Amino acid sequence: MLSRLMSGSNRSLDLPCVCTVRLLDDSEYTCNVQRDAKGQQLFDLLCHHLNLLEKDYFGIRYVDPDKQRHWLEFSKGIAKQMRARSPFILCFRVKFYPPDPAALKEEITRYMVFLQVKRDLYHGRLLCKTSDAALLAAYILQAEIGDYDPGKHPEGYSSKFQFLPKHSEKLERRIAEIHRNELSGLSPAQAELSFLRKAQTLETYGVDPHPCKDVSGNSAFLAFTPFGFIVLQGNKRVHFIKWSDATKMKFEGKTFHLYVREKEEKRLVLTFLAPTPEACKHLWKCGVENQSFYKLENSNQVRTVSSSNLFFKGSRFRYSGRVAKEVMESSAKIKREPPEIHRAGMVPSRSCPSISHGLRLSSVPRTRRRAVHISIMEGFLIVAVPTGLESLRDSAHSTPMRSSDSIDYLSPCTSRETVISDEAYTPCSSILPTPVCESNFELSIGQQVNGTTCTTQDEESDMAVPSIPDLEIPPPALPGPERASQREPEPEQANKFLQSVLRLLAVTLCLLFALLLLLVILAESDLEVAFLRDIRLTPEFQQFHYQYFCPLRRWVSCKLHPLIRLIDS
């Protein structure tokens, strides 16, 4: 009976794991890997399937059972990281955005980045003015349906498709006008490249925002770009720190610290509070990886980073992979025939419906859309949102928010009016929900994203930055008052210093106790261990034993003898 159970357990360990990976065009790739397979094996299978050589910009994301997102580490086992039962659901996404997409060697790589940035535009991570949004949407139209044809494209054809979270009639007319008059003759590859060139000039290109709060309790979003670290707060970018100026990142529990180099050898410390310790660790690891990828000259400069100043506390992490400069040098050596790109045959996107596959299917019922009052008054667009943005709190963010740590302005409200400048496109003020994956036409009971159900594992409940109606870009230099407000208070610094001193004292005492214990074992025990015997035979130890240890032992014995007799009596 026992042998049968053992053999059954061994067979279960030998069974392969099923991995389903959602690609950038929302098609799915399913493969079997061994239970002890590393993440690198799955990534190589995906890149081979996609015929992708410039693969260092991409990664695989997954959501753990606690609804926290992670990037799959290629040097570790897949099953150990997922902490879930097979089949595993993962997503293939751009991890490091190329600083200059036009410098990519192969067209297929640019196409993959185009699909990712198109998703960012739809989900509200790529903020821009209305004029820029119309141009970007027109590039998408040109890439997917080609030149304007009056016979195929009737009046109002651009309103049938969804490029952005929010469409107004004026914006739709402008998209169609640009597509009809300015982009004729562009091939899909040229339209995609023009789209990427325009997107890379925007301040939020490559942003994957992490919700946090500053030391004053104000809501903020932290994000990493190819050029540095940014902080979005309210309706503007309040900080931009170049990678060369960010000297160190660390975290303790839910507290994240960023150390910034300033002039005159001064150092600024930016402190933020993440919703959970897991979210804070994910933020820290993303920061370490991005800084290593974009800042270093070669991968030999990569060092293991600790989350704490002391070696015996905190997490340790090391970025594994090539850096941006090495990737560009390797790409220049690619010499193969350009692989064929199947644009027309791609699966319609669940999160950003492909234009070449029919009309847009709105995820909001017609009756609900009537409840949204939109009017144009003196150059301003007024949108009355009846349900608020409470549902964003429970979506599967890159660092998910918990109900106890929710951001202030995501609280429930029965009515809210957002006034948006007509020259500022605000993707996150839209009430259109993020479309979600339907598996076998059944939606599992999960989070609610703007009133629509989505699965826990659905990657594309991608986080948008709410309530950023006008992205005002201040100069990169940090204002004086903000520097003072972000510096750590003196009592807090004193407490941290005291805690460090106490930890150092405790470790010192533990080391002294261990040395004392080892000394007693050497001098008093009869253990016939080779290295102990060799130490005892050395002249130095014998001299120490007879001149110091024996007198100390007699003194301790004299002091303890009265106490022992008292206890015995």
Side-chain angles (χ1 to χ4, degrees), residues 307-419:
S307 64
S308 177
N309 292 328
L310 300 179
F311 69 91
F312 56 86
K313 183 188 177 186
S315 301
R316 295 173 65 82
F317 179 70
R318 178 185 175 90
Y319 167 67
S320 59
R322 296 187 293 184
V323 300
K325 188 174 182 180
E326 292 176 330
V327 174
M328 294 299 297
E329 294 173 353
S330 176
S331 298
K333 300 177 183 177
I334 296 177
K335 296 180 181 179
R336 68 167 179 174
E337 290 296 323
E340 185 178 359
I341 301 176
H342 302 281
R343 292 183 177 87
M346 69 180 183
V347 177
S349 173
R350 288 182 293 261
S351 60
C352 187
S354 174
I355 295 177
S356 57
H357 292 275
L359 305 182
R360 175 187 66 191
L361 297 178
S362 174
S363 300
V364 181
R366 180 69 63 179
T367 55
R368 181 179 172 185
R369 283 190 285 164
R370 289 199 203 100
V372 184
H373 175 66
I374 302 178
S375 61
I376 304 293
M377 296 174 52
E378 300 178 355
F380 289 90
L381 175 64
I382 302 178
V383 183
V385 183
T387 57
L389 296 173
E390 168 67 14
S391 55
L392 280 176
R393 182 188 63 195
D394 299 320
S395 60
H397 298 166
S398 57
T399 49
M401 300 296 294
R402 302 293 176 84
S403 57
S404 59
D405 300 299
S406 58
I407 297 177
D408 294 340
Y409 54 71
L410 298 184
S411 58
C413 59
T414 57
S415 178
R416 174 177 298 182
E417 288 192 355
T418 306
V419 180

Side-chain angles (χ1 to χ4, degrees), residues 21 71 82 91 108 237 291 298 302 306 361 390 431 449 484:
V21 184
W71 287 105
M82 296 291 293
C91 298
I108 188 170
R237 188 186 70 179
Q291 186 176 34
N298 58 74
V302 177
S306 175
L361 297 178
E390 168 67 14
I431 66 159
V449 182

Side-chain angles (χ1 to χ4, degrees), residues 1-11:
M1 180 66 178
L2 182 61
S3 62
R4 284 201 299 271
L5 290 174
M6 292 292 292
S7 62
S9 62
N10 291 334
R11 282 196 299 271

